[in-house]
Amino acid sequence: MKRQILTFAAVGVINTAVYYCLYLLFLNWLPYLFAHVLAFVLSMVGSFFLNARFTYRIRPTWRKFLLFPLTNVTNFLITTAGVYVIVDVLHAGSRFAPLLASAAAIPVTFVVSRWVMLPGRIVQPPA
């Protein structure tokens, strides 16, 4: 479980970097919320394959691929709301808003991800 958490975190760093680069790229042509959504969806596909291979060491299946977005629903809702609050309510700018907004959803995303990728196994906190 500790290895999974560490690998999940490493994949998360890679996924966040990919997301953020895509977000900045799309921000040149799209409004910030559209850039956020498109970058999020594309990085989620990469996250699925990285987590299947390295975090959980499982063979990717269509069933797991189709269920994987459930792992990111909470993350997506929290980060989207956070980006909106940071940009439109706090007027802090759109460049770093996604990075600031994403941190709160990480633990929930891990628990749901493990549940989808390793069905039937109980998620226990590390000892």
Side-chain angles (χ1 to χ4, degrees):
M1 178 81 132
K2 287 180 184 180
R3 183 200 57 79
Q4 284 180 355
I5 291 171
L6 291 174
T7 307
F8 184 82
V11 167
V13 167
I14 292 166
N15 187 51
T16 301
V18 168
Y19 159 79
Y20 191 58
C21 288
L22 289 172
Y23 172 77
L24 291 176
L25 177 69
F26 297 146
L27 198 57
N28 291 315
W29 301 285
L30 299 170
Y32 76 89
L33 279 178
F34 289 113
H36 164 68
V37 170
L38 185 56
F40 193 93
V41 169
L42 292 174
S43 67
M44 185 172 51
V45 171
S47 178
F48 168 75
F49 288 106
L50 289 173
N51 276 304
R53 172 70 176 98
F54 297 107
T55 303
Y56 303 111
R57 298 180 181 180
I58 59 167
R59 183 177 56 85
T61 64
W62 278 108
R63 181 183 182 282
K64 289 175 182 162
F65 181 75
L66 294 174
L67 287 173
F68 192 74
L70 292 175
T71 68
N72 288 291
V73 168
T74 301
N75 184 316
F76 180 78
L77 292 174
I78 291 171
T79 57
T80 302
V83 166
Y84 172 78
V85 168
I86 292 167
V87 173
D88 283 341
V89 176
L90 301 176
H91 305 288
S94 60
R95 292 190 70 76
F96 296 107
L99 296 176
L100 298 172
S102 65
I106 293 169
V108 174
T109 304
F110 174 75
V111 169
V112 177
S113 173
R114 193 168 195 281
W115 174 75
V116 166
M117 301 295 259
L118 300 173
R121 296 192 188 170
I122 297 172
V123 178
Q124 298 174 349

